[in-house]
Amino acid sequence: MKPTHVISLVFYLFIFVSCSQGYKEETASTATIVEDTQQVKLDEPKLSSPAAVPVVTQNVQPQDIVNFAKTLVGVPYQYGATDPAIGFDCSGFITHVFNHFNIQVPRSSVDFTNVGTEVETTDAAAGDLILFTGTDSTSTVVGHMGIVTENTDSLRFIHSTSGRAYGVTVSALNKSYLRRFVKVIRIF
């Protein structure tokens, strides 16, 4: 094998492992922080990204997505799963919710990096997607995600977490999540 092929192979393996590890959102060491509901104000600069990949949302309204997602609160966390009878990982939850409305979305959280249009957190609305890194503090790769449920007095989102809640739950954008925050995207 040529050296350039080996480098390419190592790069793709690194991305695959990083993405796979990104599915495990909160570890036991961060689980106590996840429940912290103290809010912090975001003054994050807008990140630049390549051209957005469109998602065809048909005639579905963002609030329909949120309402359906909330019916799944309590479904347990299950790595790699997209079935409510078994459980969900974070992107499996998103996939299931959007597929319920026949909206095709990427299966892995990292694949949402260039989907939709980035919006400021102050402009985030119900149905927008919120992206985070995984729990590896040295990584900047998207490894966790959720659906914004509201953004009135605080930004809240629904997601499937492997942390203390260990399943589908609604969380506030607190200090723990803020440290891992990447961006909010709008696909509607």
Side-chain angles (χ1 to χ4, degrees), residues 32-65:
T32 56
I33 299 171
V34 170
E35 297 302 313
D36 177 16
T37 58
Q38 181 178 359
Q39 302 299 304
V40 288
K41 184 176 179 184
L42 286 177
D43 290 318
E44 295 288 323
K46 189 166 181 143
L47 302 174
S48 62
S49 61
V53 176
V55 172
V56 179
T57 57
Q58 301 161 22
N59 293 323
V60 178
Q61 298 301 308
Q63 192 61 50
D64 297 335
I65 295 289

PDB file of all heavy atoms in Angstrom, residues 32-65:
ATOM      1  N   THR A  32     -23.789  13.771  37.063  1.00  0.00           N
ATOM      2  CA  THR A  32     -24.283  14.646  38.123  1.00  0.00           C
ATOM      3  C   THR A  32     -24.402  16.083  37.643  1.00  0.00           C
ATOM      4  O   THR A  32     -25.215  16.834  38.149  1.00  0.00           O
ATOM      5  CB  THR A  32     -23.362  14.590  39.355  1.00  0.00           C
ATOM      6  OG1 THR A  32     -22.043  14.925  38.938  1.00  0.00           O
ATOM      7  CG2 THR A  32     -23.381  13.203  39.972  1.00  0.00           C
ATOM      8  N   ILE A  33     -23.624  16.452  36.651  1.00  0.00           N
ATOM      9  CA  ILE A  33     -23.668  17.806  36.128  1.00  0.00           C
ATOM     10  C   ILE A  33     -24.877  17.990  35.216  1.00  0.00           C
ATOM     11  O   ILE A  33     -25.435  19.063  35.140  1.00  0.00           O
ATOM     12  CB  ILE A  33     -22.377  18.130  35.355  1.00  0.00           C
ATOM     13  CG1 ILE A  33     -21.179  18.014  36.291  1.00  0.00           C
ATOM     14  CG2 ILE A  33     -22.426  19.507  34.746  1.00  0.00           C
ATOM     15  CD1 ILE A  33     -19.852  18.108  35.588  1.00  0.00           C
ATOM     16  N   VAL A  34     -25.285  16.934  34.548  1.00  0.00           N
ATOM     17  CA  VAL A  34     -26.367  17.014  33.569  1.00  0.00           C
ATOM     18  C   VAL A  34     -27.634  17.583  34.181  1.00  0.00           C
ATOM     19  O   VAL A  34     -28.360  18.314  33.548  1.00  0.00           O
ATOM     20  CB  VAL A  34     -26.639  15.613  32.965  1.00  0.00           C
ATOM     21  CG1 VAL A  34     -27.898  15.613  32.136  1.00  0.00           C
ATOM     22  CG2 VAL A  34     -25.449  15.190  32.126  1.00  0.00           C
ATOM     23  N   GLU A  35     -27.897  17.298  35.420  1.00  0.00           N
ATOM     24  CA  GLU A  35     -29.113  17.748  36.055  1.00  0.00           C
ATOM     25  C   GLU A  35     -29.053  19.210  36.510  1.00  0.00           C
ATOM     26  O   GLU A  35     -30.035  19.769  36.924  1.00  0.00           O
ATOM     27  CB  GLU A  35     -29.442  16.857  37.266  1.00  0.00           C
ATOM     28  CG  GLU A  35     -29.698  15.413  36.864  1.00  0.00           C
ATOM     29  CD  GLU A  35     -30.821  15.282  35.860  1.00  0.00           C
ATOM     30  OE1 GLU A  35     -31.889  15.896  36.055  1.00  0.00           O
ATOM     31  OE2 GLU A  35     -30.648  14.556  34.874  1.00  0.00           O
ATOM     32  N   ASP A  36     -27.893  19.851  36.414  1.00  0.00           N
ATOM     33  CA  ASP A  36     -27.751  21.246  36.788  1.00  0.00           C
ATOM     34  C   ASP A  36     -28.609  22.091  35.858  1.00  0.00           C
ATOM     35  O   ASP A  36     -28.427  22.073  34.655  1.00  0.00           O
ATOM     36  CB  ASP A  36     -26.279  21.657  36.678  1.00  0.00           C
ATOM     37  CG  ASP A  36     -26.047  23.122  36.971  1.00  0.00           C
ATOM     38  OD1 ASP A  36     -26.924  23.778  37.539  1.00  0.00           O
ATOM     39  OD2 ASP A  36     -24.966  23.605  36.632  1.00  0.00           O
ATOM     40  N   THR A  37     -29.544  22.827  36.408  1.00  0.00           N
ATOM     41  CA  THR A  37     -30.433  23.619  35.555  1.00  0.00           C
ATOM     42  C   THR A  37     -30.053  25.092  35.513  1.00  0.00           C
ATOM     43  O   THR A  37     -30.784  25.895  34.982  1.00  0.00           O
ATOM     44  CB  THR A  37     -31.893  23.493  36.046  1.00  0.00           C
ATOM     45  OG1 THR A  37     -31.954  23.925  37.396  1.00  0.00           O
ATOM     46  CG2 THR A  37     -32.394  22.072  35.895  1.00  0.00           C
ATOM     47  N   GLN A  38     -28.903  25.440  36.072  1.00  0.00           N
ATOM     48  CA  GLN A  38     -28.466  26.830  36.013  1.00  0.00           C
ATOM     49  C   GLN A  38     -28.229  27.215  34.557  1.00  0.00           C
ATOM     50  O   GLN A  38     -27.566  26.511  33.818  1.00  0.00           O
ATOM     51  CB  GLN A  38     -27.176  27.014  36.806  1.00  0.00           C
ATOM     52  CG  GLN A  38     -26.687  28.440  36.795  1.00  0.00           C
ATOM     53  CD  GLN A  38     -25.431  28.605  37.630  1.00  0.00           C
ATOM     54  OE1 GLN A  38     -24.940  27.677  38.221  1.00  0.00           O
ATOM     55  NE2 GLN A  38     -24.923  29.811  37.655  1.00  0.00           N
ATOM     56  N   GLN A  39     -28.806  28.312  34.155  1.00  0.00           N
ATOM     57  CA  GLN A  39     -28.703  28.751  32.773  1.00  0.00           C
ATOM     58  C   GLN A  39     -27.547  29.734  32.612  1.00  0.00           C
ATOM     59  O   GLN A  39     -27.220  30.470  33.527  1.00  0.00           O
ATOM     60  CB  GLN A  39     -30.005  29.446  32.341  1.00  0.00           C
ATOM     61  CG  GLN A  39     -31.205  28.552  32.481  1.00  0.00           C
ATOM     62  CD  GLN A  39     -31.074  27.325  31.605  1.00  0.00           C
ATOM     63  OE1 GLN A  39     -30.888  27.445  30.406  1.00  0.00           O
ATOM     64  NE2 GLN A  39     -31.152  26.155  32.196  1.00  0.00           N
ATOM     65  N   VAL A  40     -26.955  29.714  31.447  1.00  0.00           N
ATOM     66  CA  VAL A  40     -25.896  30.658  31.127  1.00  0.00           C
ATOM     67  C   VAL A  40     -26.238  31.325  29.812  1.00  0.00           C
ATOM     68  O   VAL A  40     -26.833  30.726  28.939  1.00  0.00           O
ATOM     69  CB  VAL A  40     -24.516  29.965  31.036  1.00  0.00           C
ATOM     70  CG1 VAL A  40     -24.029  29.574  32.400  1.00  0.00           C
ATOM     71  CG2 VAL A  40     -24.551  28.780  30.115  1.00  0.00           C
ATOM     72  N   LYS A  41     -25.861  32.574  29.686  1.00  0.00           N
ATOM     73  CA  LYS A  41     -26.144  33.314  28.454  1.00  0.00           C
ATOM     74  C   LYS A  41     -25.081  32.983  27.422  1.00  0.00           C
ATOM     75  O   LYS A  41     -23.900  32.938  27.720  1.00  0.00           O
ATOM     76  CB  LYS A  41     -26.131  34.815  28.754  1.00  0.00           C
ATOM     77  CG  LYS A  41     -26.509  35.632  27.554  1.00  0.00           C
ATOM     78  CD  LYS A  41     -26.588  37.099  27.870  1.00  0.00           C
ATOM     79  CE  LYS A  41     -26.948  37.848  26.600  1.00  0.00           C
ATOM     80  NZ  LYS A  41     -26.966  39.258  26.782  1.00  0.00           N
ATOM     81  N   LEU A  42     -25.508  32.771  26.214  1.00  0.00           N
ATOM     82  CA  LEU A  42     -24.590  32.451  25.132  1.00  0.00           C
ATOM     83  C   LEU A  42     -24.220  33.688  24.341  1.00  0.00           C
ATOM     84  O   LEU A  42     -25.078  34.423  23.901  1.00  0.00           O
ATOM     85  CB  LEU A  42     -25.233  31.458  24.165  1.00  0.00           C
ATOM     86  CG  LEU A  42     -25.344  30.033  24.649  1.00  0.00           C
ATOM     87  CD1 LEU A  42     -26.076  29.205  23.615  1.00  0.00           C
ATOM     88  CD2 LEU A  42     -23.989  29.445  24.898  1.00  0.00           C
ATOM     89  N   ASP A  43     -22.950  33.901  24.195  1.00  0.00           N
ATOM     90  CA  ASP A  43     -22.452  34.941  23.313  1.00  0.00           C
ATOM     91  C   ASP A  43     -21.450  34.293  22.372  1.00  0.00           C
ATOM     92  O   ASP A  43     -20.368  34.794  22.154  1.00  0.00           O
ATOM     93  CB  ASP A  43     -21.780  36.069  24.111  1.00  0.00           C
ATOM     94  CG  ASP A  43     -22.791  36.864  24.904  1.00  0.00           C
ATOM     95  OD1 ASP A  43     -23.866  37.151  24.359  1.00  0.00           O
ATOM     96  OD2 ASP A  43     -22.495  37.183  26.051  1.00  0.00           O
ATOM     97  N   GLU A  44     -21.823  33.144  21.840  1.00  0.00           N
ATOM     98  CA  GLU A  44     -20.939  32.387  20.972  1.00  0.00           C
ATOM     99  C   GLU A  44     -20.858  33.025  19.592  1.00  0.00           C
ATOM    100  O   GLU A  44     -21.871  33.433  19.044  1.00  0.00           O
ATOM    101  CB  GLU A  44     -21.456  30.952  20.817  1.00  0.00           C
ATOM    102  CG  GLU A  44     -21.436  30.157  22.098  1.00  0.00           C
ATOM    103  CD  GLU A  44     -20.048  29.787  22.527  1.00  0.00           C
ATOM    104  OE1 GLU A  44     -19.194  29.494  21.677  1.00  0.00           O
ATOM    105  OE2 GLU A  44     -19.793  29.812  23.742  1.00  0.00           O
ATOM    106  N   PRO A  45     -19.660  33.063  19.020  1.00  0.00           N
ATOM    107  CA  PRO A  45     -19.561  33.547  17.646  1.00  0.00           C
ATOM    108  C   PRO A  45     -20.172  32.521  16.697  1.00  0.00           C
ATOM    109  O   PRO A  45     -20.172  31.327  16.980  1.00  0.00           O
ATOM    110  CB  PRO A  45     -18.047  33.654  17.422  1.00  0.00           C
ATOM    111  CG  PRO A  45     -17.451  32.690  18.393  1.00  0.00           C
ATOM    112  CD  PRO A  45     -18.381  32.670  19.579  1.00  0.00           C
ATOM    113  N   LYS A  46     -20.693  32.990  15.601  1.00  0.00           N
ATOM    114  CA  LYS A  46     -21.286  32.103  14.604  1.00  0.00           C
ATOM    115  C   LYS A  46     -20.162  31.344  13.905  1.00  0.00           C
ATOM    116  O   LYS A  46     -19.185  31.928  13.470  1.00  0.00           O
ATOM    117  CB  LYS A  46     -22.095  32.917  13.605  1.00  0.00           C
ATOM    118  CG  LYS A  46     -22.905  32.053  12.690  1.00  0.00           C
ATOM    119  CD  LYS A  46     -23.922  32.883  11.963  1.00  0.00           C
ATOM    120  CE  LYS A  46     -24.740  31.980  11.080  1.00  0.00           C
ATOM    121  NZ  LYS A  46     -26.102  32.374  11.026  1.00  0.00           N
ATOM    122  N   LEU A  47     -20.301  30.027  13.831  1.00  0.00           N
ATOM    123  CA  LEU A  47     -19.293  29.201  13.193  1.00  0.00           C
ATOM    124  C   LEU A  47     -19.517  29.194  11.693  1.00  0.00           C
ATOM    125  O   LEU A  47     -20.640  29.170  11.220  1.00  0.00           O
ATOM    126  CB  LEU A  47     -19.386  27.767  13.725  1.00  0.00           C
ATOM    127  CG  LEU A  47     -19.227  27.608  15.232  1.00  0.00           C
ATOM    128  CD1 LEU A  47     -19.488  26.153  15.625  1.00  0.00           C
ATOM    129  CD2 LEU A  47     -17.847  28.037  15.664  1.00  0.00           C
ATOM    130  N   SER A  48     -18.436  29.196  10.957  1.00  0.00           N
ATOM    131  CA  SER A  48     -18.580  29.094   9.511  1.00  0.00           C
ATOM    132  C   SER A  48     -18.596  27.623   9.136  1.00  0.00           C
ATOM    133  O   SER A  48     -17.963  26.809   9.779  1.00  0.00           O
ATOM    134  CB  SER A  48     -17.433  29.815   8.811  1.00  0.00           C
ATOM    135  OG  SER A  48     -16.214  29.205   9.149  1.00  0.00           O
ATOM    136  N   SER A  49     -19.351  27.288   8.124  1.00  0.00           N
ATOM    137  CA  SER A  49     -19.420  25.898   7.688  1.00  0.00           C
ATOM    138  C   SER A  49     -19.612  25.861   6.184  1.00  0.00           C
ATOM    139  O   SER A  49     -20.034  26.833   5.571  1.00  0.00           O
ATOM    140  CB  SER A  49     -20.569  25.181   8.393  1.00  0.00           C
ATOM    141  OG  SER A  49     -21.787  25.781   8.071  1.00  0.00           O
ATOM    142  N   PRO A  50     -19.301  24.697   5.588  1.00  0.00           N
ATOM    143  CA  PRO A  50     -19.507  24.546   4.152  1.00  0.00           C
ATOM    144  C   PRO A  50     -20.986  24.691   3.813  1.00  0.00           C
ATOM    145  O   PRO A  50     -21.837  24.765   4.690  1.00  0.00           O
ATOM    146  CB  PRO A  50     -19.025  23.115   3.881  1.00  0.00           C
ATOM    147  CG  PRO A  50     -18.180  22.749   5.052  1.00  0.00           C
ATOM    148  CD  PRO A  50     -18.709  23.544   6.204  1.00  0.00           C
ATOM    149  N   ALA A  51     -21.292  24.672   2.541  1.00  0.00           N
ATOM    150  CA  ALA A  51     -22.673  24.812   2.077  1.00  0.00           C
ATOM    151  C   ALA A  51     -23.578  23.799   2.771  1.00  0.00           C
ATOM    152  O   ALA A  51     -23.209  22.651   2.959  1.00  0.00           O
ATOM    153  CB  ALA A  51     -22.727  24.624   0.569  1.00  0.00           C
ATOM    154  N   ALA A  52     -24.735  24.244   3.151  1.00  0.00           N
ATOM    155  CA  ALA A  52     -25.673  23.409   3.882  1.00  0.00           C
ATOM    156  C   ALA A  52     -26.314  22.379   2.960  1.00  0.00           C
ATOM    157  O   ALA A  52     -26.595  22.645   1.803  1.00  0.00           O
ATOM    158  CB  ALA A  52     -26.749  24.271   4.516  1.00  0.00           C
ATOM    159  N   VAL A  53     -26.541  21.196   3.525  1.00  0.00           N
ATOM    160  CA  VAL A  53     -27.231  20.125   2.821  1.00  0.00           C
ATOM    161  C   VAL A  53     -28.710  20.251   3.156  1.00  0.00           C
ATOM    162  O   VAL A  53     -29.089  20.229   4.325  1.00  0.00           O
ATOM    163  CB  VAL A  53     -26.692  18.749   3.258  1.00  0.00           C
ATOM    164  CG1 VAL A  53     -27.468  17.628   2.595  1.00  0.00           C
ATOM    165  CG2 VAL A  53     -25.202  18.642   2.981  1.00  0.00           C
ATOM    166  N   PRO A  54     -29.576  20.391   2.154  1.00  0.00           N
ATOM    167  CA  PRO A  54     -31.001  20.568   2.446  1.00  0.00           C
ATOM    168  C   PRO A  54     -31.674  19.257   2.864  1.00  0.00           C
ATOM    169  O   PRO A  54     -31.251  18.178   2.482  1.00  0.00           O
ATOM    170  CB  PRO A  54     -31.572  21.064   1.118  1.00  0.00           C
ATOM    171  CG  PRO A  54     -30.646  20.509   0.091  1.00  0.00           C
ATOM    172  CD  PRO A  54     -29.288  20.463   0.729  1.00  0.00           C
ATOM    173  N   VAL A  55     -32.700  19.371   3.666  1.00  0.00           N
ATOM    174  CA  VAL A  55     -33.549  18.251   4.058  1.00  0.00           C
ATOM    175  C   VAL A  55     -34.953  18.608   3.592  1.00  0.00           C
ATOM    176  O   VAL A  55     -35.435  19.705   3.843  1.00  0.00           O
ATOM    177  CB  VAL A  55     -33.528  18.040   5.588  1.00  0.00           C
ATOM    178  CG1 VAL A  55     -34.562  17.012   6.000  1.00  0.00           C
ATOM    179  CG2 VAL A  55     -32.138  17.629   6.051  1.00  0.00           C
ATOM    180  N   VAL A  56     -35.618  17.681   2.905  1.00  0.00           N
ATOM    181  CA  VAL A  56     -36.967  17.924   2.417  1.00  0.00           C
ATOM    182  C   VAL A  56     -37.947  17.631   3.546  1.00  0.00           C
ATOM    183  O   VAL A  56     -38.094  16.492   3.978  1.00  0.00           O
ATOM    184  CB  VAL A  56     -37.279  17.042   1.183  1.00  0.00           C
ATOM    185  CG1 VAL A  56     -38.696  17.276   0.697  1.00  0.00           C
ATOM    186  CG2 VAL A  56     -36.269  17.313   0.080  1.00  0.00           C
ATOM    187  N   THR A  57     -38.602  18.676   4.044  1.00  0.00           N
ATOM    188  CA  THR A  57     -39.498  18.536   5.201  1.00  0.00           C
ATOM    189  C   THR A  57     -40.964  18.440   4.810  1.00  0.00           C
ATOM    190  O   THR A  57     -41.821  18.339   5.686  1.00  0.00           O
ATOM    191  CB  THR A  57     -39.311  19.714   6.170  1.00  0.00           C
ATOM    192  OG1 THR A  57     -39.548  20.935   5.473  1.00  0.00           O
ATOM    193  CG2 THR A  57     -37.921  19.713   6.766  1.00  0.00           C
ATOM    194  N   GLN A  58     -41.246  18.486   3.523  1.00  0.00           N
ATOM    195  CA  GLN A  58     -42.607  18.390   3.006  1.00  0.00           C
ATOM    196  C   GLN A  58     -43.498  19.430   3.687  1.00  0.00           C
ATOM    197  O   GLN A  58     -43.106  20.570   3.807  1.00  0.00           O
ATOM    198  CB  GLN A  58     -43.119  16.973   3.164  1.00  0.00           C
ATOM    199  CG  GLN A  58     -42.236  15.974   2.422  1.00  0.00           C
ATOM    200  CD  GLN A  58     -42.403  14.558   2.897  1.00  0.00           C
ATOM    201  OE1 GLN A  58     -43.406  14.206   3.467  1.00  0.00           O
ATOM    202  NE2 GLN A  58     -41.399  13.740   2.641  1.00  0.00           N
ATOM    203  N   ASN A  59     -44.674  19.064   4.141  1.00  0.00           N
ATOM    204  CA  ASN A  59     -45.586  20.017   4.790  1.00  0.00           C
ATOM    205  C   ASN A  59     -45.625  19.854   6.303  1.00  0.00           C
ATOM    206  O   ASN A  59     -46.557  20.314   6.950  1.00  0.00           O
ATOM    207  CB  ASN A  59     -47.003  19.859   4.216  1.00  0.00           C
ATOM    208  CG  ASN A  59     -47.059  20.294   2.766  1.00  0.00           C
ATOM    209  OD1 ASN A  59     -46.398  21.263   2.387  1.00  0.00           O
ATOM    210  ND2 ASN A  59     -47.817  19.584   1.964  1.00  0.00           N
ATOM    211  N   VAL A  60     -44.624  19.219   6.863  1.00  0.00           N
ATOM    212  CA  VAL A  60     -44.574  18.989   8.309  1.00  0.00           C
ATOM    213  C   VAL A  60     -44.185  20.290   9.008  1.00  0.00           C
ATOM    214  O   VAL A  60     -43.301  21.014   8.559  1.00  0.00           O
ATOM    215  CB  VAL A  60     -43.558  17.871   8.638  1.00  0.00           C
ATOM    216  CG1 VAL A  60     -43.450  17.661  10.133  1.00  0.00           C
ATOM    217  CG2 VAL A  60     -43.939  16.586   7.918  1.00  0.00           C
ATOM    218  N   GLN A  61     -44.851  20.579  10.100  1.00  0.00           N
ATOM    219  CA  GLN A  61     -44.543  21.760  10.895  1.00  0.00           C
ATOM    220  C   GLN A  61     -43.563  21.394  12.017  1.00  0.00           C
ATOM    221  O   GLN A  61     -43.657  20.292  12.572  1.00  0.00           O
ATOM    222  CB  GLN A  61     -45.822  22.342  11.498  1.00  0.00           C
ATOM    223  CG  GLN A  61     -46.825  22.807  10.454  1.00  0.00           C
ATOM    224  CD  GLN A  61     -46.216  23.883   9.560  1.00  0.00           C
ATOM    225  OE1 GLN A  61     -45.678  24.870  10.027  1.00  0.00           O
ATOM    226  NE2 GLN A  61     -46.308  23.657   8.254  1.00  0.00           N
ATOM    227  N   PRO A  62     -42.646  22.285  12.366  1.00  0.00           N
ATOM    228  CA  PRO A  62     -41.686  21.984  13.430  1.00  0.00           C
ATOM    229  C   PRO A  62     -42.346  21.542  14.744  1.00  0.00           C
ATOM    230  O   PRO A  62     -41.846  20.641  15.418  1.00  0.00           O
ATOM    231  CB  PRO A  62     -40.928  23.310  13.606  1.00  0.00           C
ATOM    232  CG  PRO A  62     -41.087  24.010  12.304  1.00  0.00           C
ATOM    233  CD  PRO A  62     -42.427  23.602  11.778  1.00  0.00           C
ATOM    234  N   GLN A  63     -43.476  22.160  15.109  1.00  0.00           N
ATOM    235  CA  GLN A  63     -44.128  21.790  16.367  1.00  0.00           C
ATOM    236  C   GLN A  63     -44.654  20.356  16.317  1.00  0.00           C
ATOM    237  O   GLN A  63     -44.712  19.682  17.351  1.00  0.00           O
ATOM    238  CB  GLN A  63     -45.258  22.772  16.706  1.00  0.00           C
ATOM    239  CG  GLN A  63     -45.774  22.623  18.124  1.00  0.00           C
ATOM    240  CD  GLN A  63     -44.701  22.876  19.180  1.00  0.00           C
ATOM    241  OE1 GLN A  63     -43.991  23.887  19.143  1.00  0.00           O
ATOM    242  NE2 GLN A  63     -44.568  21.966  20.131  1.00  0.00           N
ATOM    243  N   ASP A  64     -45.001  19.854  15.122  1.00  0.00           N
ATOM    244  CA  ASP A  64     -45.412  18.452  14.979  1.00  0.00           C
ATOM    245  C   ASP A  64     -44.268  17.517  15.368  1.00  0.00           C
ATOM    246  O   ASP A  64     -44.481  16.494  16.027  1.00  0.00           O
ATOM    247  CB  ASP A  64     -45.847  18.146  13.545  1.00  0.00           C
ATOM    248  CG  ASP A  64     -47.077  18.934  13.115  1.00  0.00           C
ATOM    249  OD1 ASP A  64     -47.876  19.336  13.992  1.00  0.00           O
ATOM    250  OD2 ASP A  64     -47.227  19.148  11.894  1.00  0.00           O
ATOM    251  N   ILE A  65     -43.070  17.876  14.955  1.00  0.00           N
ATOM    252  CA  ILE A  65     -41.873  17.092  15.294  1.00  0.00           C
ATOM    253  C   ILE A  65     -41.697  17.066  16.808  1.00  0.00           C
ATOM    254  O   ILE A  65     -41.492  16.020  17.414  1.00  0.00           O
ATOM    255  CB  ILE A  65     -40.618  17.697  14.610  1.00  0.00           C
ATOM    256  CG1 ILE A  65     -40.718  17.592  13.086  1.00  0.00           C
ATOM    257  CG2 ILE A  65     -39.338  17.080  15.138  1.00  0.00           C
ATOM    258  CD1 ILE A  65     -40.578  16.201  12.516  1.00  0.00           C
TER     259      ILE A  65
END
